[in-house]
């Protein structure tokens, strides 16, 4: 009986020793590879701001007449001059391509277009009226100065830049076109003056990102 107690006591002692050894390994081996901490990673989003009141730019031209000149051998035309139609303010961190587009002229009044053409019965068709008018855009990136503006072409906004772009439009009334000149052109101009009360162009712009941060 005494021997059995001794055996049991030794076994219990062995279990305790093994447990202590195991704890020593856990404490000294695994704990020194464990660490913790807190931090914050901040990402700054590249700035891309373009603003203009409204989605589209509606331009109304309602005071324009044909040229007063008598037809000789040169085509006659008269223009509104350059009118400020939009001011685009931008701030971009990436290179941006800015483009403008214009829709067809929308005529005011209730014109009853002809079907045969002005050369046949003095009443122009809708297409014959549309070819009389054209619109051209000009831009100035330095300030509001129509005379210093240049004919519009695609605009590249450099990365990390900001500024203001002034956009001007000029509508031209061309009396003499490819197939209608002289007396027939005068008839068409007269009909337009009596039936068209004004015209409207819709101008819209699109800005497209052209580079990225960071570059690939």
């Amino acid at each position: 009986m005494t021997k059995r107690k001794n055996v049991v006591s030794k076994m219990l002692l062995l279990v305790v020793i093994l447990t202590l050894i195991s704890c020593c390994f856990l404490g000294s081996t695994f704990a020194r590879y464990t660490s913790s901490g807190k931090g914050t990673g901040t990402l700054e989003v590249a700035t891309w701001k373009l603003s203009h009141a409204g989605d589209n730019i509606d331009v109304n031209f309602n005071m324009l007449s044909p040229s007063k000149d008598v037809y000789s051998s040169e085509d006659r035309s008269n223009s509104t001059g350059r009118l400020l139609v939009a001011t685009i303010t931008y701030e971009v961190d990436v290179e941006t391509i800015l483009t403008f587009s214009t829709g067809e002229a929308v005529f005011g009044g209730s014109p009853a277009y002809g079907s045969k053409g002005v050369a046949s019965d003095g009443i122009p068709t809708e297409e014959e009226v549309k070819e009389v008018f054209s619109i051209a855009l000009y831009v100035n990136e330095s300030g509001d100065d129509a005379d210093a503006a240049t004919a519009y072409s695609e605009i590249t906004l450099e990365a990390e830049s900001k500024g203001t772009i002034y956009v001007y439009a000029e509508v031209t009334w061309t009396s003499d076109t490819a197939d209608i000149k002289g007396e027939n052109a005068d008839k068409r101009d007269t009909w337009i003056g009596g039936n068209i009360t004004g015209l409207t162009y819709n101008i819209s712009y699109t800005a497209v990102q052209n580079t990225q941060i960071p570059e690939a």
Side-chain angles (χ1 to χ4, degrees):
M1 187 70 176
T2 301
K3 289 182 178 181
R4 184 179 296 174
K5 289 182 178 180
N6 289 335
V7 171
V8 172
S9 297
K10 290 178 179 180
M11 290 180 67
L12 291 173
L13 178 60
L14 180 60
V15 170
V16 171
I17 291 172
L18 290 174
T19 301
L20 291 174
I21 292 173
S22 177
C23 288
C24 287
F25 277 114
L26 288 172
S28 62
T29 302
F30 295 104
R32 66 183 177 185
Y33 289 102
T34 302
S35 63
S36 63
K38 294 182 178 180
T40 301
T42 302
L43 173 66
E44 183 177 349
V45 177
T47 301
W48 200 53
K49 300 177 181 176
L50 290 98
S51 62
H52 173 77
D55 296 328
N56 296 313
I57 307 165
D58 294 316
V59 187
N60 292 280
F61 297 94
N62 56 10
M63 290 297 290
L64 178 64
S65 74
S67 169
K68 62 181 177 57
D69 296 335
V70 176
Y71 179 73
S72 57
S73 59
E74 295 184 0
D75 297 340
R76 298 161 295 173
S77 64
N78 186 34
S79 300
T80 60
R82 301 174 186 180
L83 304 178
L84 181 65
V85 295
T87 303
I88 308 295
T89 301
Y90 68 91
E91 180 180 356
V92 294
D93 281 337
V94 292
E95 184 178 275
T96 302
I97 303 299
L98 182 63
T99 58
F100 291 87
S101 60
T102 59
E104 288 189 347
V106 178
F107 298 105
S110 301
Y113 300 108
S115 58
K116 298 179 180 180
V118 69
S120 297
D121 57 12
I123 303 175
T125 65
E126 184 175 4
E127 290 304 314
E128 288 177 338
V129 172
K130 285 183 177 180
E131 70 180 6
V132 168
F133 299 96
S134 61
I135 185 171
L137 298 180
Y138 300 84
V139 295
N140 191 335
E141 299 181 57
S142 301
D144 184 4
D145 186 347
D147 292 334
T150 57
Y152 161 73
S153 61
E154 186 178 85
I155 299 172
T156 299
L157 306 179
E158 300 296 334
E160 299 181 357
S161 66
K162 61 181 178 180
T164 301
I165 297 174
Y166 298 88
V167 184
Y168 307 86
E170 182 177 45
V171 173
T172 299
W173 182 324
T174 302
S175 297
D176 306 289
T177 56
D179 299 321
I180 301 175
K181 298 181 183 294
E183 184 179 349
N184 285 330
D186 291 342
K187 290 180 181 179
R188 176 171 58 181
D189 286 346
T190 302
W191 185 93
I192 291 173
N195 292 272
I196 303 294
T197 59
L199 60 141
T200 300
Y201 281 98
N202 180 270
I203 303 174
S204 60
Y205 69 89
T206 303
V208 178
Q209 177 184 344
N210 198 44
T211 59
Q212 65 184 35
I213 299 176
E215 287 288 356

